[in-house]
Structures are given as structure tokens and as C-alpha cells.
Amino acid sequence: MARCLDRLVGHDKQVAQLESALKRQRLAMTLLFVGPSGVGKKLCAQGVAQALICTENPLGCGQCASCRRIEQNQSESVLYVEPEGLQIKMEQARQIIRFISVRGLGQARVVIIDRADLMNPQAANSLLKSLEEPPEDTYFILIANSVSGILPTIRSRSQVLRFGALSTSQLRRVSSADDWIIEAAQGRADVAMQLEQMTEFRDQALGVWRQWLVQRNHSVVNALNDPLKDKEKTLMLTRLWQQLIRDVHFMKKGQSGFIHGDHLGLIRELGEALDGRVGWVGQLVLDLEKSILSNAERSLAFEDFFIQLEGTAN
């Protein structure tokens, strides 16, 4: 066993700031950890909880029973809240209020709210008084992908710490995935894990471009019948295509650092076929993703995409 903060990869500045506040007993009662998913925000929150509750070390020892229970999400002094479905709802807010009203659970109580940006307005408003005047030794750690999803009244009561994506070398420390996955995950361990389950899908997504190089017409959309049934898969497909076009651009510019470097032949052929229109095609893919996000009819959106591509052949 070890302290969760010692297991955290990257974010040295944020950890140093938190540990300094813990040593001086000046930690804010409400912390807001903001940044992309899969970079370690929850692990950092667990580490702060260990430090607040551990009786052996003001920064957490990682070895005592309370530290171990926190690491295993089994501590009676820590309440973890995450969305039910697409939201954090009013009943969950009531659960938080009940939890912080109980006395005698230990040195401190910590409420960790994962995806706090998904609290519905009723739940968020019901917690305002607790956040403004929390009971003694009660701390809130809110975890969010974006600060824009947090009510301004809650933001004003919180100390915000921003977490960035991991570097490629840092991500390699937490993931043993293939090189293309490490590059494609853009510093997020959760995306790397997801991509590890989608290697066949990735080959199918890139294979559509091989087919287009042969046919040069919109009939290649027929190969996408199965992926287009699922919105999340469709969005993943457009993001894989964005990465492929980015690789084409890099090759045209004589740069290295390809995401899909194991498909150099395809990248080279696309570069020749698209010639000076790589940037335009990249914008087409971005527009395609926006259409899917806005719930456009997916098969028609992809068909229109390939119709526009028909004019790019030399």
C-alpha cells in the first residue's frame, strides 16, 4: 500500500500546493479539481482525503487502516458521489446533507463529488449552504471536466485546481497499451483503456479510407452500417479520422510523431490523393463530428461527407 498522492502520475505543482496547505492546516473547505477525465483527479482527491483523515501523518501515511479503506473506497468517513445516469440528482444531494450532519466519524469527513458539473440545478442549489458554511472538519472535493458546468455560486465558494492531460511519457507509466493508443489517447488513461478494446474498430475506421482511395465515391459509406448504429462509436470514428488527417498533414510538412504510424502507407497515399486540400478535409471531418453531436441523421451526414470528398481526387 502507498499514499494515493505518491501513486499519482504528473501534476507535481498541484500536489505541492495541496501538501503545503495541508501542512499549514490551511486547506480550503471546498476544492474544485478541473480537467479532462482519466488524468488522475479522483486519485488526487483520495490522496487529500487520506491526509485529512489519517492520524499517523498530516500528509497521509498510506499504511494505516483508514488510509487503506479510503484507497479501497470503503471508508465510513468519505462519501463518494457520482452521476446516476446523466445527472447528480436531488436525492443524492440529500444523501450528502445527511452524511455531513452525522458526528463522530473520525478526524474529518470528506465528500468527493465526481462529475460535479453534472449536478442538476436543484441538487446544486440545495448544497449551497453546506458549501458556504460546512460543519467543522468537513471538506468537499468537487471533480469536473469543465468549470463552465459548475454554478457560479459554487465556483465562488471553491478553490480551483486545474489538471492538464498527461504527457506521452507519463501516460506510458500508467498504461501498457500499444504505441498508437498512447498517441491517440491524448494524455488520458480512460481513453487509452477504451481504445484497447477497439483495435478492430480502429482498423475498420481506417479501412474505409483505403476503400475510398480505390472507389473515390460516396458508396464507401455502406461499409459503416454497423458503427453508425451507435452514436458513441460514430463519434470515436470521427476522432480517429481527425487523427489520420492530422498524420497526413504531418507527413506533408515533413514532421514526425504520427499517431497511426503503423499505417504509413495509407497516410502517404491519402496525402497524394488529397494533395493541397488536407486542411479542407480536416475541417470537413470536424464539421462531420459537429453534425453527429447535434443529432443529425448519421448515415446521411456521412454520405454527404463522402460526396464532398469525390471532388478531391487528382
Side-chain angles (χ1 to χ4, degrees):
M1 296 289 179
R3 293 192 321 145
C4 291
L5 290 178
D6 290 335
R7 290 169 42 214
L8 187 66
V9 174
H11 316 302
D12 294 343
K13 180 179 178 180
Q14 291 83 352
V15 171
Q17 183 176 346
L18 290 166
E19 289 188 334
S20 174
L22 286 163
K23 288 177 182 177
R24 294 182 292 114
Q25 297 184 339
R26 297 292 301 272
L27 188 73
M29 305 299 282
T30 301
L31 298 168
L32 174 55
F33 293 175
V34 177
S37 63
V39 301
K41 300 192 301 296
K42 183 177 179 181
L43 185 61
C44 187
Q46 288 178 293
V48 173
Q50 284 181 329
L52 289 168
I53 295 167
C54 180
T55 58
E56 305 295 326
N57 188 314
L59 298 181
C61 69
Q63 305 295 326
C64 69
S66 66
C67 283
R68 293 199 301 270
R69 285 196 296 271
I70 291 168
E71 183 183 27
Q72 297 162 5
N73 294 346
Q74 295 175 350
S75 174
E76 70 279 5
S77 298
V78 180
L79 177 65
Y80 295 93
V81 179
E82 59 186 11
E84 289 183 356
L86 299 177
Q87 289 185 325
I88 293 174
K89 303 174 182 176
M90 187 63 193
E91 178 51 40
Q92 294 172 279
R94 294 192 185 103
Q95 180 189 11
I96 293 170
I97 293 170
R98 289 194 296 269
F99 173 79
I100 65 176
S101 68
V102 176
R103 300 287 181 180
L105 287 178
Q107 184 172 343
R109 287 162 297 173
V110 181
V111 179
I112 298 175
I113 306 178
D114 198 7
R115 291 308 307 271
D117 45 332
L118 295 182
M119 276 194 288
N120 67 30
Q122 294 83 1
N125 284 315
S126 72
L127 292 176
L128 283 177
K129 182 173 176 57
S130 298
L131 292 168
E132 187 172 23
E133 300 177 4
E136 186 179 1
D137 292 327
T138 299
Y139 296 84
F140 288 86
I141 306 177
L142 313 181
I143 300 172
N145 290 357
S146 169
V147 73
S148 64
I150 303 294
L151 284 180
T153 45
I154 290 181
R155 288 204 304 268
S156 67
R157 292 162 170 79
S158 308
Q159 179 182 354
V160 180
L161 276 79
R162 298 184 181 275
F163 291 70
L166 301 177
S167 67
T168 299
S169 61
Q170 288 170 342
L171 186 55
R172 289 188 192 281
R173 290 170 56 187
V174 299
S175 173
S176 58
D178 292 342
D179 287 347
W180 79 266
I181 293 176
I182 296 296
E183 295 291 343
Q186 297 180 313
R188 295 171 52 191
D190 58 335
V191 174
M193 188 178 299
Q194 181 185 16
L195 289 172
E196 283 189 279
Q197 309 302 317
M198 301 183 72
T199 53
E200 290 185 11
F201 177 73
R202 177 249 195 168
D203 291 340
Q204 181 183 3
L206 301 189
V208 174
W209 286 95
R210 288 195 174 87
Q211 191 173 344
W212 180 79
L213 284 168
V214 174
Q215 297 178 218
R216 304 293 176 95
N217 63 58
H218 63 276
S219 65
V220 297
V221 78
N222 296 329
L224 296 172
N225 286 337
D226 287 338
L228 297 189
K229 294 176 183 176
D230 183 278
K231 183 176 180 178
E232 289 306 312
K233 272 195 169 183
T234 305
L235 288 170
M236 178 61 73
L237 184 144
T238 63
R239 288 158 192 164
L240 288 168
W241 285 4
Q242 289 171 29
Q243 295 163 4
L244 180 64
I245 299 303
R246 169 227 187 241
D247 285 348
V248 172
H249 177 74
F250 272 35
M251 179 171 282
K252 298 286 281 185
K253 294 291 186 180
Q255 296 174 277
S256 57
F258 303 119
I259 292 175
H260 301 285
D262 52 337
H263 289 265
L264 286 179
L266 173 61
I267 294 168
R268 186 175 296 108
E269 289 182 58
L270 270 178
E272 294 171 355
L274 300 179
D275 195 25
R277 286 168 278 194
V278 176
W280 174 74
V281 174
Q283 186 59 54
L284 280 185
V285 180
L286 288 173
D287 292 342
L288 176 62
E289 181 184 37
K290 291 177 184 177
S291 296
I292 303 307
L293 286 169
S294 64
N295 295 317
E297 206 292 316
R298 294 193 280 274
S299 61
L300 290 179
F302 274 81
E303 184 173 349
D304 181 62
F305 172 82
F306 282 110
I307 287 173
Q308 292 184 73
L309 273 182
E310 286 179 27
T312 63
N314 293 328

